[in-house]
Each structure stands twice: as structure tokens, then as C-alpha cells.
Amino acid sequence: MYAVLPDPACEGVLPSRSVAAVPCSVPIPLRPVMVLWLCFALACAARRPADPTPPPTPEPTADAKPELADEPTATPSSDAPAVLLRGGRVMTATGVIYERGDVLLREGKVEAVGASVDTPTDVTVLDVTGKTVTPGIIDTHSHLGVYASPGLNAHSDGNEAVAPTTPQVISADGYWPQDPQIDRARAGGVTTMLILPGSANLIGGRAVVVRTTPNIRGVEDARFELAPYGIKMACGENPKRVYGDKGGPQTRMGNMAGFRAAFQRAVEYRRTWQAYAAKVKDGSDDEDLSPPTRDFGLETLMGVLDGDILVHTHCYRADDMINIMALAEDYGFKIRSFHHAVEAYKIADRLEAHGSSASVWADWWGFKAEAYDGVRENAAMLSAAGVRAVIHSDSPHGIQRLNQEAAKAMHAGRRAGIDISEDEALRWITANPAWTLGVDQHTGTLEAGKLADVVVWSGNPFSVYAKAERVYLSGTLIFDRNDPKTQPHTDFESGFRTKGAH
């Protein structure tokens, strides 16, 4: 793989410019620059440009308010052939593990799962004895596609760092689905990702949920149609570092003041639409009656106030999380997930009462002051307190082995005397992130009626030796470790040496 080296200490600013080979992580020289740029030009030419025309202003109705663009639509259909995965260890992420079980995939859904499933006459039977079958992995925190590989300035599309609040931007507009890092995530068993703006801004914009569908050209082919939008917020050090010498905020006080000002503007904006709707409902004969002027940033924040857009907040310290929860409660919304949250274990009771999940790392900590007080038992302690714990990546490397990250967190908890089952640890990377993204009714567990997002592992997924051998997305085989046709390869890798690097 060729990817941007992760630098968590610099999250929210430009990514590392180095390009490295994995797993050796040693810088590798390029062939002539023209080769790279030719590939870049060809790849970009295939992209469909975004339509710059804004959506039309809605016609007056009795319950008028601006409609959120691209709201979730119907269940994705699939014409994938029916497959029966027979005889593997089936981990459902529902509390049930079949030491020897079957999973039937048909028409993009899980049709049946159990210790023994009858074999229909029209299905392909695949013997997976000795292997493990799990739901597809879901990452709640990724910048793949908006910080694409190679790590060029031209690929830095994750932070609109021009103002502390930019709710009007959407990560989907910067997402490049031909980023070769996405291929590597797919090979690690990942089927769904939340693509977030970076954390330079207090409010960085909307986040989009995507599928790791291969061989596509535009973001609309990757979007998870059933998923609501998210919004990225960031507290603590990053916004004040980025804007401290640009007019502020310079302090945590300034951070909170910026949040309050933004949401108060959204409250006033909503009132203008409510007043307009009331006049329409009353049958006003005002000839000059017209809808309020649309503001796409305030429209996004109004979506937060109305519960239509889920809030994801980059936040490390316990006191910062408490302040953000208080802000949310003042304005009548909830924090869906605190991301990174290295001190979440200190306020697990408050997170549980608020109803927020915590998207955390297994063992990243100490790379800046607000990340200093992390513990490896964080996820286990959260689970024990009833919080939905999630293991996320925020890394083009970590996303390739989230199963191992969950294993590290599971064993850290066990060493501390916290009884974490394999089913619970699996939920950290499947069912809990599905809830966090608002898609738990459709994916995240192996249950009849759910989307057939399935991984067949070579062994126990919590072993460092296990690899994802087959990955299904809505029942379609999108990765097969034994089939060269599904192996990741992109034009961007044509100009690099993959052997003999020192």
C-alpha cells in the first residue's frame, strides 16, 4: 500500500507529505514525475464534476421548511448470486456465536443464519469449515478519499480551514473514491465508513457514510443511501491552534462561545421558517409572501436541532465532553458519538446518561497535551458502564486491521479484570458503529433481513494471523484474497517500486 503516514499530533491540519510503502513504512523514491502526473490526470478525467447549481427553493407548503439535500432513500437492491456459507464459526454480533453454523445470502440480504440452514437448490454452497464469519467492519472515523494517497497538496480536501465554523461544506464534495487506501480498507474487511471533514474547525461540515464499493467513479456510487448525514464538530486544542492568530478562537472559552453563536443563529433561522410556515398554513393573502433566503450552513445546523443530522464530536478531555453535552442539551440535541475520547472512561456514567457512543482507539495517546491521560482499558471500561464503545481508526493504516485493534482493547480489559466477551469486542467494530452512523436497522449484525455485509476470515478475527479472505457487500463478493481480479491495484501504484526498498 501507498498511503499518507498518520500523524495524530497534526490532526486538523495538513497531512504528512511523505509517501510510504506498507508494511515497511520506508520512504520510496518515485519514478519520473511525469508518470505520476499522467496517472493523476487520467484518473481525474474520469471523475464526474459536481453540479454547481444549488437545489431549487421549495414551493410553499403548510409545513414548509427547507428540505435536506440527498435524504436517505430506499434499500439498495442486489442481483448478486445466492450463496450459502457452510460450516464456519459464525459470530453474529447479537450475543450469539455458532461454533459451527451456516449463513445464507440472497438478493443482497442475510436470508437465514443458524447452526444448520437448509440448502436451497438454487444457491452456491461454499464450505468455510475452520474459518470465521462475521458482519462487515464499520469505521466511524475515516478521512479516506478526502486525504487521498499519494499525500499531495492536491489531495488535501479534508479541512475548509478558512473560518472556525463551516457547516455549509460536505465531505462528499471532496471524496475521491479512487483513493487506493480504500482498496486496502476493503481488503481488511471494512464495508462501511463515515468520511468526516478534519478537525481544524469548531464545525467542519457534513460527514457522509460510504460503502467500500470497488471500481466506481463518483461519490454517489459509494454513498450508503440509507444513512443520514453526520456533522463534524471539534473541541479542545485544534480549533484554537488553527485560528488563534487568525482572529480566534484562541482559548477553550472562545471555542464554546463560537459553538453557542453558531447554534443560536440556527435557532433564529429556524424561527424564520416557522413563521413563514405559519403564514402559509393560515392562508395569508400577502402578495409578497416568499420563503426565507436559504442559508446552507444554517440549514445544516437546523438539521442538527431537528435530529435529522447526527453529531460527531472530536473531543479528548473529560471536561470538554461535559461542556459539549451541556451545550447540546441547552439547544435540544444529542451528541451521537464523541470521537477519540481518550478520557471517556472518567465520565462513562455521563456518556451513558446522555446516550452517546464513544469512538476510541485501542492504545493511541500522549501525542499532545489533551491526549495525555489515555488508558488501554478505555473501551472495556466504557462497555462495563453500559456505553456503546466503538473502535475507530482515523488512520489509513489502522483501518486495515480494526479487528486487531479491537483485540488489543479486549485483552487490555481482560488483563484489568473486566470480562469482555468476543461478541462484545466484535460489536465494537460492527453493531455499535452501525448504531453510531444511524444504520443499525440495516447492517452491523448477522440477522435475517439485514444487508449481506459479511466477512469470511481465515481464522479467529482477534488473532494477529487472521486475514479477511472474502468480503461481501450487500451479497456481492467485492474482495477475494484468492482471486487476483479482486486484488487492490491502482494507477497510482504504477510509478513506485514495491520490492527492494531500503
Side-chain angles (χ1 to χ4, degrees), residues 120-135:
T121 58
D122 59 341
V123 304
T124 299
V125 178
L126 183 65
D127 185 359
V128 292
T129 301
K131 306 182 188 302
T132 302
V133 183
T134 72

Side-chain angles (χ1 to χ4, degrees), residues 104-283:
L104 176 60
L105 316 180
R106 189 199 296 270
E107 297 181 354
K109 301 285 188 70
V110 176
E111 183 170 294
V113 57
S116 179
V117 174
D118 292 338
T119 307
T121 58
D122 59 341
V123 304
T124 299
V125 178
L126 183 65
D127 185 359
V128 292
T129 301
K131 306 182 188 302
T132 302
V133 183
T134 72
I137 291 177
I138 301 171
D139 191 357
T140 62
H141 193 118
S142 179
H143 302 296
L144 298 190
V146 295
Y147 281 124
S149 178
L152 309 171
N153 280 329
H155 287 172
S156 178
D157 289 312
N159 276 308
E160 186 67 12
V162 298
T165 59
T166 57
Q168 71 274 14
V169 304
I170 306 174
S171 63
D173 292 334
Y175 180 73
W176 187 45
Q178 296 175 50
D179 180 357
Q181 297 170 132
I182 300 169
D183 296 331
R184 296 310 193 264
R186 184 187 311 118
V190 175
T191 53
T192 302
M193 307 180 292
L194 178 64
I195 305 302
L196 294 149
S199 53
N201 297 352
L202 295 172
I203 301 174
R206 292 197 202 184
V208 64
V209 181
V210 299
R211 312 279 267 162
T212 56
T213 309
N215 304 319
I216 60 175
R217 295 183 178 182
V219 67
E220 289 307 311
D221 297 327
R223 276 198 61 186
F224 196 161
E225 296 175 334
L226 298 164
Y229 273 116
I231 191 171
K232 174 69 173 291
M233 291 170 45
C235 67
E237 293 181 18
N238 284 12
K240 67 176 190 168
R241 182 185 69 241
V242 174
Y243 292 100
D245 59 356
K246 298 179 182 179
Q250 292 183 328
T251 65
R252 280 179 160 82
M253 296 185 295
N255 284 353
M256 294 306 300
F259 284 130
R260 292 189 193 101
F263 280 105
Q264 189 59 40
R265 288 194 296 271
V267 168
E268 301 299 333
Y269 181 70
R270 181 166 62 174
R271 285 174 181 161
T272 65
W273 278 94
Q274 290 170 338
Y276 166 67
K279 290 181 179 179
V280 172
K281 185 176 181 179
D282 292 342

Side-chain angles (χ1 to χ4, degrees), residues 235 313 315-326 329 335 337-358 360 373 375 378 381-388:
C235 67
T313 304
C315 219
Y316 289 82
R317 280 182 9 188
D319 58 320
D320 285 335
M321 287 183 269
I322 289 172
N323 287 340
I324 295 294
M325 283 188 284
E329 289 163 6
I335 306 301
S337 189
F338 283 104
H339 291 235
H340 312 332
V342 298
E343 293 187 13
Y345 65 94
K346 297 181 179 180
I347 56 167
D349 57 335
R350 297 199 183 198
L351 294 173
E352 194 276 334
H354 184 77
S356 172
S357 73
V360 304
D373 212 7
V375 297
N378 196 11
M381 294 171 71
L382 291 167
S383 283
V387 178
R388 288 183 177 90

Side-chain angles (χ1 to χ4, degrees), residues 51-70:
D51 183 356
T53 305
T57 300
E59 293 297 322
T61 60
D63 58 349
K65 72 173 185 178
E67 295 295 330
L68 295 175
D70 300 324

